[in-house]
Amino acid sequence: MNQLLENILENCRKYTKDGKLASYIPELQKTDPEKLGICVVTDENALYTAGDSDIRFTMQSAIKPIILLLALMDRGEEEVRKLVGVESTGKPFDAFNYSDQALKREHINPMINAGAIALCTLIDGETYDEKFDRLLKLVQKLANNPKMEIDENVYQSEKRTGSKNRALAYMLQAYGLIHDQVEQVLDCYFKACSVLASSVDLAKIALVFAKKGKLSSGEQVFSKEYAKYINAVLMTCGMYDGSGEFALNVGVPAKSGVGGGIMAIVPNRMGIGIYSPALDSKGNSCAGIKSLELLSKELDLSIF
Ligand code: GLN
């Protein structure tokens, strides 16, 4: 397997040139766009790596499934469904533009920014610091890595410049989808996006979702039902508007982040973590997607 991963990276390294680093969070531009690393952890806990698999990067949107998970664990499915939908576009079959006059729960899903920001309000905790701490602890537990922490510079950078997310959050407030103080909710979201992880961490987290909530120790951290819920949402919305292509060419639930990470879940079989920060126009890692396409072909990973 190590050799297969090496070969895949060698084949896909050229695609790092097809993409660009995320620039709207200034701090993310300080990264080397040519890095590429991968980790696979199997259901028997065999761990394989190649390339820059131990480089740490900020999880960004790859933390969204865990925000959804904690909201489900804290409040249950009914309350989560009352706040956010599960549709990838949230538009009717004959829609031709975005001229909706209202923002409704069925327009947002947990894998886009608005949905993830809204879900931060459902995490239990007296304060937003406490909510974030509980989220970080859950991430650490899933990755079996108590050292995971935030990148203070990326966090401050996004907090300073995150006008679009600020606008989204105020829209959510205006339409009654969040009731707490917008800046506090955003602070929790920005911190969550700034959690540092390596490809190994992502692969281990992905494996817990692949094993439907079961840690390698045998502990069931969350119910199978929640794993099914999250994997299903990831299948349709995890790679943004690249989710259709990804379903065709890779065929497993996955989540990307603008830090360059992708976490891919092969139900019952393996967790995969990839890092390569040069992104395509949709905000997904170019070389990361190509590597997953090859790996999926080689190991017949598609669930379809
Ligand atoms: N922190 C980023 C943002 O909110 C996360 C987006 C992403 O990774 N796609 O814009």
Side-chain angles (χ1 to χ4, degrees), residues 24-25 60-61 64 113 158 165 189 193 240 257-258:
Y24 74 102
I25 302 174
Q60 300 297 336
S61 288
K64 285 176 178 151
N113 291 9
E158 187 170 13
N165 283 325
Y189 172 75
C193 290
Y240 306 111
V258 291

Side-chain angles (χ1 to χ4, degrees), residues 170-182:
Y170 279 103
M171 286 287 281
L172 291 167
Q173 187 186 48
Y175 285 101
L177 291 170
I178 62 180
H179 304 283
D180 294 345
Q181 285 206 11
V182 168

Side-chain angles (χ1 to χ4, degrees), residues 231-237 239 242-254 265-267 269 296-297 299-304:
N231 289 342
V233 173
L234 287 176
M235 195 72 237
T236 52
C237 315
M239 304 296 285
S243 298
E245 287 285 341
F246 192 85
L248 279 179
N249 299 327
V250 184
V252 300
I265 295 156
V266 189
R269 276 178 73 182
S296 177
K297 229 184 237 155
L299 300 179
D300 194 16
L301 299 181
S302 173
I303 62 172
F304 299 109

Side-chain angles (χ1 to χ4, degrees), residues 125-144:
E126 292 284 306
T127 63
Y128 273 85
D129 281 346
E130 202 180 315
K131 289 175 197 272
F132 172 72
D133 281 347
R134 293 189 60 250
L135 178 69
L136 181 61
K137 290 221 168 69
L138 180 59
V139 179
Q140 290 170 338
K141 183 164 185 170
L142 299 179
N144 193 20

Side-chain angles (χ1 to χ4, degrees), residues 75-89:
R75 305 297 177 100
E77 188 171 331
E78 207 181 308
E79 212 175 314
V80 166
R81 291 296 299 269
K82 264 193 218 148
L83 183 63
V84 293
V86 293
E87 303 305 339
S88 54
T89 71

